[in-house]
Amino acid sequence: MNRRQVSFLERLMGKMSPSGFEEDAARVWRDEAKKFTKDVYSDTHGNSFAVINPNGSPKVMLAGHIDEIGLMVTYIDDSGYLYFTGIGGWDTQVLPGQRVNIKTGTGLVSGVIGRRPIHLLSVEERKKVVEFSDLWIDIGAKNKEDASTIVSIGDPAVIQYGMESLMNNMLVGRGFDDRIGAYVVLEALRLLSEMGADMAVYAVATAQEEIGTRGAKTSVYGINPDIGIAVDVGFATDTPGALVDKKKVGDIKMGEGPVIVRGANINPVLFEMFTKTAESERIPFQVEACPGVTGTDARDIQATRQGVPTALIGIPNRYMHSPCELIHLHDVDHASKLIAHTVLMSKDTDFRIS
């Protein structure tokens, strides 16, 4: 990853983008896209598009969702404490004691997630899984009136957790699920523009995936592509105690290449094209078996209109849906290259299953 790529990723990860409130991260994504293509726009749903060769053929869609899980203020009590619920799927056990940023009408406001101290919990309470109703956000307000001058019902929030480098080309950050997918599809588009691709390629930073793959549904309908490729994070199973996970999703390791998913949600011709391209270009890859529909944008891309030949590429990810998700830089770089080279090979391919 070169200096420009690192700068782009840092800026992208530095913005909050919970589902329905993706605009800050989406602006960073579109600004980066404008550096190599003039065809950049957004829609009323919050999806962002960058296009090369809009009149070319075939029409290829690359989708990575730019939203992350977050929190939303639902109630302010008389003492000025904020109660909240989740945006997307949370393990509530990670929330107590976290610092948060709340996006208000006047800017970001800091707060902390409070819970009764362990000393004051009964033995039975200590054994229970914490629920949203057991938690609150403390912004230091004196009372409800004081808090309400700054925070409004419906304001979104995220955990205060930035991106940092770890050993051996690993990165940790909040919301790599799936801003890293939005990053990969734009980098793949940039590579295709440099490689002289003549087909129409749409990179899309889709919105609202964490609450039901909603952005993919609307954007793919509008584009009506001939080929669809989704990029999302996938479960790495190289952590302690992961034997049960391996039995579910396979043996997926960090740093050993992007994951090419295989199953009913994936067009078999396109799957084979990805694996053959990886082998010919000497790009490391891993395979994940998924017998049904995936919980990703690929689900809606495949089943739109008359059906779209679809592939799903995964970036191995540790500690998904926590504030400290891990990815490996080599997997990210290889994913962009694999997608770009495969798209170039797809021009005259018949994806019908016979």
Side-chain angles (χ1 to χ4, degrees), residues 9 19 96 214 267 322:
L9 186 56
S19 303
R214 290 162 49 80
N267 178 273
S322 81

Side-chain angles (χ1 to χ4, degrees), residues 23 41 116 128 142 172 219 223 235 272 279 287 306 310 339 353:
E23 58 273 9
Y41 60 96
R116 291 170 57 215
K128 289 174 57 180
K142 297 176 182 179
V172 59
S219 57
I223 295 171
F235 299 107
E272 186 175 357
E279 291 167 353
V287 175
Q306 75 275 17
T310 301
I339 292 168
I353 301 171

Side-chain angles (χ1 to χ4, degrees), residues 70-77 79-86 95-103 109-115 132-141 147 151 155-160:
L71 309 169
M72 178 177 280
V73 176
T74 57
Y75 174 69
I76 305 173
D77 73 9
S79 298
Y81 295 109
L82 317 179
Y83 289 82
F84 61 94
T85 191
L95 292 173
Q98 298 282 0
R99 299 183 183 188
V100 299
N101 280 330
I102 307 167
K103 185 177 182 180
V109 172
S110 294
V112 297
I113 297 179
R115 188 192 182 197
F132 283 110
S133 58
D134 301 321
L135 305 171
W136 57 85
I137 296 174
D138 188 340
I139 61 171
V151 178
D155 281 347
V158 295
I159 303 300
Q160 258 184 39

Side-chain angles (χ1 to χ4, degrees), residues 280-346:
S280 65
E281 295 296 327
R282 297 184 178 180
I283 297 173
F285 69 95
Q286 305 174 77
V287 175
E288 178 185 336
C290 183
V293 295
T294 66
T296 71
D297 284 345
R299 175 177 61 190
D300 284 295
I301 293 172
Q302 182 195 41
T304 295
R305 296 183 185 261
Q306 75 275 17
V308 179
T310 301
L312 173 59
I313 302 300
I315 308 299
N317 176 248
R318 291 179 185 164
Y319 320 123
M320 198 181 300
H321 279 211
S322 81
C324 54
E325 297 181 334
L326 266 65
I327 60 165
H328 197 290
L329 286 176
H330 291 176
D331 297 330
V332 176
D333 287 339
H334 284 135
S336 297
K337 293 174 184 176
L338 176 59
I339 292 168
H341 284 283
T342 303
V343 168
L344 281 180
M345 296 288 293
S346 68

Side-chain angles (χ1 to χ4, degrees), residues 140-157:
K142 297 176 182 179
N143 50 41
K144 183 173 185 175
E145 182 180 3
D146 192 26
S148 298
T149 61
I150 300 174
V151 178
S152 300
I153 301 301
D155 281 347

Side-chain angles (χ1 to χ4, degrees), residues 235-238 245-247 249-253 256 286-287:
F235 299 107
T237 57
D238 56 358
D245 299 325
K246 289 181 181 180
K247 293 176 180 178
V249 298
D251 191 8
I252 306 299
K253 295 182 174 67
E256 295 201 1
Q286 305 174 77
V287 175

